[in-house]
Amino acid sequence: MSNQMITENNDSPDIETKIIEAANNVFLKYGVDKSTMGQIADEAGISRTSLNYYFRSKNHLVQKVLNNIENKIIPTISILINDENMPLIVKIELFVDEYIDLVTKYPMVPSFILWELTREPNWIIQFFKERNLNFEILNIEITEEVKMGNVIPFKLEDLFVNILGLCAFPFVSKPLLMEFFFDQNEEKLFQFMISRKTEVKRILRNWLKPD
């Protein structure tokens, strides 16, 4: 990253993009809690004063980073929900693949969302409301799949909790996994996370499969 200082005479969108990219790099390297605005300013090649001009707090910047990340997967979720020709189990498995790929690339996302849902949930809730995800379509599809005997009767909220729990918790519990199972080896952890796609899909298929 160039150390050339960015001045406020540049186009604001370009500066904001560089700051968000820098913040993402710093959050990945140090974690959200341990990252500082000074580190983000250094990574972006700007002064701390310039950084504060565009983002008044680290939390504001984290929200911007999260918005950018989640916007990468929301369109995929919308396509999966609205595709009436795609079997339910295929939708579920594609979502698992997309979600684990996303949080493998941005591992701070599950922990941050969990923290914010505990600390200040309103903006997270509003964020997802604004995406207008039509879960009613999914509920109708679930009802039809149950009638046809393709899956056991289940509630959408159970599916939601099962998927997020199976996909997200390994990332939230990274310190425990690193300490007790992977000898602080990032590559071992990465390979485990990738293998989770197959395991999670197997668990969900077995859960939904009629007796």
Side-chain angles (χ1 to χ4, degrees):
M1 177 78 61
S2 171
N3 289 326
Q4 182 180 358
M5 302 304 283
I6 301 171
T7 69
E8 289 160 17
N9 292 324
N10 294 108
D11 292 337
S12 293
D14 291 340
I15 299 176
E16 290 186 5
T17 298
K18 289 182 179 181
I19 292 172
I20 292 169
E21 289 174 353
N24 181 63
N25 292 337
V26 171
F27 293 153
L28 285 173
K29 185 174 182 179
Y30 300 106
V32 173
D33 289 342
K34 294 182 180 179
S35 298
T36 68
M37 293 291 275
Q39 290 169 330
I40 294 168
D42 289 343
E43 179 75 12
I46 63 175
S47 68
R48 176 66 184 272
T49 301
S50 295
L51 176 60
N52 289 338
Y53 175 82
Y54 289 98
F55 295 96
R56 62 187 179 276
S57 68
K58 184 174 77 171
N59 193 56
H60 182 207
L61 190 48
V62 171
Q63 291 180 15
K64 276 286 190 179
V65 171
L66 181 62
N67 284 344
N68 279 6
I69 293 170
E70 292 296 332
N71 283 337
K72 297 177 188 296
I73 196 172
I74 291 297
T76 300
I77 296 174
S78 295
I79 291 171
L80 292 179
I81 289 176
N82 292 311
D83 189 337
E84 297 178 359
N85 297 316
M86 187 182 296
L88 178 64
I89 192 65
V90 175
K91 290 184 179 183
I92 292 170
E93 293 186 350
L94 285 174
F95 175 80
V96 168
D97 286 340
E98 290 284 340
Y99 185 82
I100 290 180
D101 283 344
L102 181 77
V103 292
T104 299
K105 187 175 181 180
Y106 304 102
M108 73 285 195
V109 169
S111 296
F112 176 71
I113 290 179
L114 183 62
W115 170 251
E116 286 295 282
L117 284 173
T118 302
R119 190 186 69 86
E120 190 179 347
N122 289 337
W123 80 266
I124 294 271
I125 293 169
Q126 188 61 32
F127 172 84
F128 284 103
K129 280 185 175 181
E130 290 171 356
R131 270 59 189 176
N132 296 319
L133 297 174
N134 189 355
F135 290 111
E136 186 56 34
I137 293 175
L138 205 53
N139 263 322
I140 293 171
E141 185 172 1
I142 289 170
T143 300
E144 291 300 316
E145 293 272 351
V146 170
K147 285 182 180 178
M148 290 186 291
N150 294 332
V151 296
I152 63 168
F154 70 96
K155 295 178 180 179
L156 181 58
E157 53 265 39
D158 287 324
L159 178 64
F160 176 82
V161 170
N162 286 343
I163 289 178
L164 288 189
L166 289 166
C167 291
F169 186 75
F171 294 89
V172 176
S173 61
K174 176 183 175 180
L176 294 175
L177 292 172
M178 290 290 281
E179 178 67 28
F180 295 108
F181 298 100
F182 300 121
D183 302 319
Q184 303 299 331
N185 187 308
E186 289 283 351
E187 179 59 26
K188 289 181 180 179
L189 178 69
F190 175 79
Q191 292 302 325
F192 169 74
M193 295 305 188
I194 294 300
S195 72
R196 285 297 296 167
K197 290 194 284 189
T198 299
E199 184 63 14
V200 169
K201 289 185 287 188
R202 182 190 67 79
I203 291 170
L204 292 172
R205 280 197 303 268
N206 288 339
W207 169 55
L208 294 171
K209 184 172 62 178
D211 295 332

